[in-house]
Amino acid sequence: MGNQSFLQAQKGDPDWTFTPEHYFDKKFRLIEASMLEMIPGKKDSIILRQSPTEKELVAKQLRIDILENANLDLTIINEAEDRLQQVFIYDIHVRDGGQFNLGLFVKGGKLNKHIVRVTLDNYATFSSYGHIINTVGGDSEIITKVLHEGSCSNSHILYTTEAGEDSQTVYQGVTHIGRHSQYSQATIEISNLIVGENGKCHSVPEIFNHSDSTKISCGTSTDYVDHERIYYLRTRGIAKTEAESLLINTHRNRTMDVIVDEKIKEEILQLLD
Amino acid sequence: MIKIKNLTVTSNDDPLLSNINMTIEAGEIHAITGPKFSGKSALAHVITGHPGITIEKGSIHWGSTKINHLPTEDRIAKGMYISFQTPSDFEDLTNWDLFQLFFKGNPSEISDLQLKYDAYCDLLDLGELHGDLRINASEMTPSQFKKNELLYMMIKDPEFIILDEIDDGLSTEETLKIGAILREYFRINKKTCLIITRNQELLDIIKPTHVHIMSDGEILMSGGPDLYKRIVEDGQSEFSTSTKRGSGLDLHS
């Protein structure tokens, strides 16, 4: 654990050609590969709960094809055991006029990596939001690569992260707006919170724009649960645990507020606590 | 009301205060002054139970109760309040969020919160915040930010108030105005107060009943309201940081 994994991710994965068999000098085994296709014009909402219990280095792959004018809301709730090392790969293609909303909530794991690769055609929209939390001394990561290949395509990414004692979270994202993607929009917003001693949050959001008439914004911020702020709240009569929760929940709410379904929100909040 | 006896404290093994003795009776206004880093704020923080400060020796009593190890929030529940030199701000929380948190469990206070808020906004010349509870501290000017601390105080209506460098961030004109407001607030409401400041004009207006001079973590002198003025009139408005312990103020170095 530590910076090594993050640095290797930067150095060792320039082309984003992840193969499950070889990554970080470790041999992962692809145990599952699924395909999901949304037929033209169809709308659906799916929740995937992933809590693998395998003891070895495992990889899972999910291919998602959103056909013309289809709309899919996918919420993935992932909780990994403390010692588990796993990699999830999501290969997504959103075709003309399609819309894909991905909620990704990741907790725990020794190495818990989620790689999201998205291709957007004309008028396609990809929206991804979620929360990464590791408080078990491990490394939880989300990596996104978004390719705008059509005009008027939109991608919006919003993640909050939380690193506990001796734990690490990583967000690494690259969005490319291709030269035929005029009038496209792309945003990446990452907000990190260090809640434990020696916790680390790394985030590198990048947008490369090769087209005209586009709107882009990209930013990251890192804060920590400050003892002085806790003390300040306590001097206003708020108990210590409540003050800590307040600061953490305020941070989480940036993504929780995006979730419309109250039942899903409740389930995710239970996962995070 | 507050009795501090032989108090010696450290922070991360660094000495902060040494052998502090102070008794503040109900209705008294005490002022602490002295050079920067002399331990004035540390005293305020140890009284309110800052977790980063360790009491090595001595005691703090609230009435007859020893509160050395009482959690901060429980001290506040007894009726303490501290206005900070540098208050914390919370990017994602509005004034209204904070007020709701601070006054929860007391529905009657919540119900007339808006009325009190507006009234005290006017009093503190915070008219621009009038009626706007949704403002975030990060949107306030430095002056509004500090006055907001006094706004909390007035709505909270505590028995014992610590004001840590309230003039910091205020213009001279604002300081004088706030000083006059506080003097009347303390007098009418019979408040007990500990004021930390290096601003003589503020002390001239508030007219404390007791003055203490601190340096190097010790109280060097204590006296009546004229103590600070007497020292200043002796020709030194700034206290020497090279003052040796036990030797009194070195006014002419």
Side-chain angles (χ1 to χ4, degrees):
Chain A
M1 225 285 295
N3 284 336
Q4 194 181 5
S5 162
F6 177 68
L7 295 173
Q8 282 176 320
Q10 281 191 304
K11 193 178 169 183
D13 195 20
D15 300 322
W16 301 79
T17 51
F18 173 80
T19 55
E21 292 78 20
H22 235 273
Y23 204 65
F24 296 155
D25 297 325
K26 295 172 179 174
K27 282 191 182 295
F28 285 80
R29 186 168 67 88
L30 185 65
I31 59 166
E32 191 179 312
S34 308
M35 175 75 190
L36 179 64
E37 186 179 88
M38 288 290 291
I39 60 173
K42 192 186 174 188
K43 288 186 178 180
D44 208 346
S45 184
I46 298 171
I47 302 172
L48 275 180
R49 295 175 182 82
Q50 301 169 324
S51 299
T53 54
E54 288 84 356
K55 301 295 180 195
E56 54 191 322
L57 308 180
V58 296
K60 293 187 178 185
Q61 188 169 31
L62 177 61
R63 291 182 187 277
I64 301 170
D65 202 352
I66 311 292
L67 299 184
E68 288 76 9
N69 300 313
N71 186 333
L72 176 64
D73 288 339
L74 175 63
T75 304
I76 296 172
I77 301 173
N78 169 252
E79 182 174 12
E81 290 180 356
D82 299 359
R83 294 185 176 184
L84 185 67
Q85 298 187 64
Q86 60 178 2
V87 176
F88 292 82
I89 312 147
Y90 310 95
D91 280 314
I92 300 154
H93 194 157
V94 187
R95 299 181 191 273
D96 291 357
Q99 183 166 342
F100 181 50
N101 300 318
L102 174 65
L104 187 47
F105 297 87
V106 175
K107 181 181 180 182
K110 185 179 176 186
L111 172 65
N112 189 0
K113 183 186 275 290
H114 295 251
I115 300 171
V116 182
R117 299 184 289 209
V118 185
T119 303
L120 298 174
D121 292 347
N122 295 322
Y123 294 93
T125 296
F126 170 66
S127 170
S128 183
Y129 59 93
H131 191 81
I132 315 168
I133 176 171
N134 198 305
T135 55
V136 294
D139 177 8
S140 297
E141 306 185 6
I142 289 180
I143 295 177
T144 64
K145 181 187 182 185
V146 180
L147 298 175
H148 286 253
E149 293 192 342
S151 63
C152 305
S153 52
N154 301 307
S155 67
H156 301 290
I157 294 169
L158 169 67
Y159 279 99
T160 46
T161 83
E162 216 177 297
E165 189 177 342
D166 295 321
S167 304
Q168 174 171 288
T169 65
V170 174
Y171 170 82
Q172 190 180 6
V174 175
T175 296
H176 281 277
I177 300 180
R179 60 194 181 93
H180 300 299
S181 302
Q182 295 90 340
Y183 307 106
S184 292
Q185 293 186 26
T187 63
I188 304 178
E189 184 184 345
I190 308 300
S191 179
N192 306 307
L193 184 69
I194 298 170
V195 298
E197 208 168 320
N198 297 321
K200 294 185 180 73
C201 294
H202 301 282
S203 49
V204 183
E206 292 176 299
I207 299 178
F208 296 95
N209 181 25
H210 303 287
S211 191
D212 301 327
S213 306
T214 57
K215 285 184 184 174
I216 58 174
S217 70
C218 179
T220 178
S221 65
T222 301
D223 206 346
Y224 57 96
V225 175
D226 181 351
H227 295 300
E228 289 302 322
R229 281 182 176 174
I230 302 275
Y231 167 60
Y232 180 86
L233 289 170
R234 294 177 76 185
T235 65
R236 297 297 176 257
I238 297 170
K240 186 185 174 193
T241 49
E242 196 183 343
E244 287 169 345
S245 297
L246 174 72
L247 295 182
I248 292 171
N249 289 335
T250 302
H251 170 71
R252 289 176 181 173
N253 283 345
R254 299 184 75 166
T255 43
M256 291 304 146
D257 288 347
V258 179
I259 305 169
V260 180
D261 190 313
E262 288 299 324
K263 280 186 179 175
I264 295 175
K265 188 186 283 191
E266 199 174 312
E267 182 179 346
I268 291 166
L269 287 172
Q270 279 178 359
L271 168 85
L272 300 180
D273 284 335
Chain B
M1 178 174 270
I2 285 273
K3 189 167 187 178
I4 298 167
K5 198 173 174 185
N6 300 327
L7 189 70
T8 296
V9 307
T10 58
S11 177
N12 295 323
D13 295 330
D14 292 329
L16 287 181
L17 299 174
S18 178
N19 205 31
I20 301 290
N21 288 285
M22 183 184 286
T23 301
I24 305 175
E25 300 291 354
E28 291 179 350
I29 309 293
H30 286 236
I32 297 183
T33 190
K36 287 180 180 175
F37 311 115
S38 58
K40 305 185 297 296
S41 294
L43 181 58
H45 289 162
V46 74
I47 292 172
T48 49
H50 192 296
I53 297 178
T54 307
I55 296 179
E56 302 290 349
K57 201 179 76 178
S59 63
I60 306 170
H61 277 81
W62 172 271
S64 59
T65 311
K66 189 176 177 182
I67 59 169
N68 281 30
H69 302 294
L70 196 68
T72 298
E73 55 272 29
D74 293 346
R75 299 180 197 211
I76 300 306
K78 284 182 177 292
M80 280 191 196
Y81 181 84
I82 179 170
S83 167
F84 286 90
Q85 181 177 9
T86 311
S88 293
D89 65 334
F90 300 91
E91 193 186 334
D92 297 318
L93 293 171
T94 64
N95 240 14
W96 179 240
D97 294 332
L98 292 170
F99 271 91
Q100 282 185 307
L101 284 165
F102 300 161
F103 297 102
K104 70 171 180 158
N106 195 338
S108 63
E109 285 193 36
I110 282 284
S111 65
D112 63 5
L113 186 56
Q114 182 81 53
L115 288 174
K116 285 182 176 178
Y117 182 92
D118 288 344
Y120 289 126
C121 270
D122 286 345
L123 182 65
L124 292 166
D125 202 17
L126 279 166
E128 55 272 53
L129 300 187
H130 194 118
D132 186 7
L133 281 163
R134 301 284 164 190
I135 194 168
N136 185 298
S138 61
E139 298 167 314
M140 295 180 191
T141 64
S143 161
Q144 287 175 331
F145 194 34
K146 290 301 288 284
K147 288 180 185 176
N148 200 46
E149 289 283 282
L150 301 179
L151 189 60
Y152 287 147
M153 176 193 80
M154 289 179 167
I155 294 174
K156 190 87 176 172
D157 195 25
E159 283 183 61
F160 174 60
I161 296 159
I162 301 172
L163 302 176
D164 190 359
E165 308 270 10
I166 49 160
D167 51 298
D168 192 13
L170 300 181
S171 66
T172 304
E173 190 184 344
E174 283 177 317
T175 300
L176 296 179
K177 193 170 178 180
I178 288 296
I181 291 167
L182 288 174
R183 183 188 62 210
E184 290 306 299
Y185 174 78
F186 296 153
R187 187 181 63 79
I188 292 166
N189 297 289
K190 297 182 172 55
K191 295 297 181 191
T192 310
C193 190
L194 178 63
I195 301 170
I196 294 165
T197 187
R198 301 169 71 234
N199 189 321
Q200 190 201 339
E201 288 168 323
L202 184 65
L203 292 180
D204 285 346
I205 288 180
I206 290 183
K207 298 188 190 313
T209 56
H210 299 71
V211 174
H212 309 272
I213 312 291
M214 278 193 83
S215 184
D216 290 339
E218 294 181 14
I219 293 179
L220 300 179
M221 300 170 84
S222 294
D226 59 337
L227 175 61
Y228 184 87
K229 193 172 264 185
R230 208 172 65 225
I231 290 166
V232 172
E233 283 170 357
D234 279 350
Q236 183 74 24
S237 60
E238 190 70 44
F239 302 107
S240 166
T241 53
S242 62
T243 304
K244 290 187 173 60
R245 288 185 178 184
S247 65
L249 282 171
D250 182 358
L251 296 174
H252 303 292
S253 62

